[in-house]
């Protein structure tokens, strides 16, 4: 089994592409893959286009609150919210968040409680700690573990489908991964 930790800024269009590539690779592989999308919220990395850092922070908390109702629902919620904000250029608002939460069949009362809870804030802080522990300094970064060898992870910056698929295929066939020239691949 492979474990993938994709560190994303939910307000970054480049991260949407990375999310799609990682999901596509996971689907294409024959072995089981577990993906965790970890929001990295840093004021210095918030993309332009939203109404400010506060919206990005709340968007990240909204995602964490949605995850409390299941990973699939949380991912679907984030994907739809990102599409609304970054592709359709809608404005982040309570109404938009509620509509997307409802579209994804979240328990609205629970979602409202969770997004304002200390537990949600602690989950976000835990994600930030995880990013520091794994040496992630920027969003759009993937840390990959082959659970069969679990002693070392591979950190990849600037994710591209073909390179990630090749790397994972090598791991799947128990071949040692090789970093291509000019690669942003680092063995942890």
């Amino acid at each position: 089994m492979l474990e993938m930790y994709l560190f994303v800024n939910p307000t970054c269009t480049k991260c949407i592409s990375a999310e799609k590539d990682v999901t596509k690779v996971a689907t294409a592989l024959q072995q089981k893959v577990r993906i965790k999308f970890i929001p990295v919220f840093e004021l210095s990395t918030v993309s332009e286009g939203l109404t400010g850092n506060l919206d990005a922070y709340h968007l990240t908390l909204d995602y964490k609150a949605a995850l409390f109702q299941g990973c699939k629902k949380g991912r679907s919620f984030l994907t739809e919210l990102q599409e609304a904000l970054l592709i359709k250029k809608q404005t982040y608002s309570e109404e938009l968040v509620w509509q997307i939460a409802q579209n994804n069949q979240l328990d609205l009362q629970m979602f409202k409680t969770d997004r304002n809870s200390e537990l949600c804030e602690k989950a976000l802080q835990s994600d930030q700690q995880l990013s520091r522990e794994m040496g992630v300094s920027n969003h759009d970064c993937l840390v990959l573990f082959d659970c069969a060898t679990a002693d070392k992870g591979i950190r990849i910056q600037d994710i591209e489908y073909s390179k990630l698929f090749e790397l994972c295929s090598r791991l799947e066939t128990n071949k040692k991964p090789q970093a291509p020239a000019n690669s942003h691949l680092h063995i942890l």
Side-chain angles (χ1 to χ4, degrees):
M1 181 171 95
L2 296 178
E3 285 188 343
M4 297 181 178
Y5 294 83
L6 180 61
F7 294 86
V8 298
N9 175 339
T11 64
C12 172
T13 54
K14 185 177 177 184
C15 289
I16 292 175
S17 177
E19 292 167 22
K20 289 179 182 178
D21 285 348
V22 167
T23 303
K24 187 176 173 184
V25 167
T27 302
L29 294 172
Q30 292 181 7
Q31 71 177 329
K32 186 176 179 179
V33 178
R34 185 172 71 176
I35 305 170
K36 293 189 104 183
F37 294 88
I38 311 295
V40 179
F41 178 81
E42 296 178 31
L43 295 178
S44 61
T45 63
V46 175
S47 298
E48 294 178 17
L50 292 179
T51 59
N53 296 341
L54 189 61
D55 288 347
Y57 175 74
H58 285 127
L59 186 153
T60 305
L61 284 176
D62 291 342
Y63 170 54
K64 294 305 292 182
L67 282 174
F68 289 164
Q69 296 188 37
C71 290
K72 287 183 182 181
K73 284 185 178 185
R75 279 291 306 131
S76 179
F77 171 84
L78 178 61
T79 300
E80 190 174 338
L81 188 55
Q82 287 174 313
E83 183 178 313
L85 296 172
L86 302 172
I87 296 169
K88 295 179 181 175
K89 304 293 185 197
Q90 294 178 309
T91 302
Y92 178 86
S93 67
E94 290 288 317
E95 295 79 21
L96 179 64
V97 170
W98 291 125
Q99 182 58 54
I100 292 172
Q102 191 171 21
N103 292 351
N104 287 279
Q105 301 173 349
L106 297 179
D107 178 319
L108 297 179
Q109 185 58 44
M110 184 183 299
F111 177 71
K112 181 179 181 178
T113 300
D114 287 342
R115 71 194 291 241
N116 295 308
S117 72
E118 186 176 322
L119 181 62
C120 193
E121 178 66 37
K122 285 183 179 181
L124 180 59
Q125 290 172 5
S126 177
D127 286 345
Q128 305 318 294
Q129 178 64 30
L130 181 63
S131 70
R132 287 188 293 278
E133 289 172 2
M134 291 188 177
V136 174
S137 57
N138 294 316
H139 55 282
D140 185 25
C141 183
L142 177 80
V143 177
L144 173 67
F145 291 95
D146 181 354
C147 293
T149 60
D151 57 341
K152 296 188 187 238
I154 301 168
R155 185 176 57 236
I156 307 163
Q157 189 70 44
D158 299 325
I159 295 141
E160 293 179 28
Y161 173 79
S162 60
K163 290 179 183 177
L164 181 60
F165 182 77
E166 180 184 334
L167 173 66
C168 291
S169 294
R170 291 185 68 79
L171 289 171
E172 195 170 43
T173 57
N174 296 316
K175 294 181 183 174
K176 186 177 179 181
Q178 297 175 346
N182 299 324
S183 172
H184 295 287
L185 183 141
H186 307 281
I187 306 296
L188 299 176

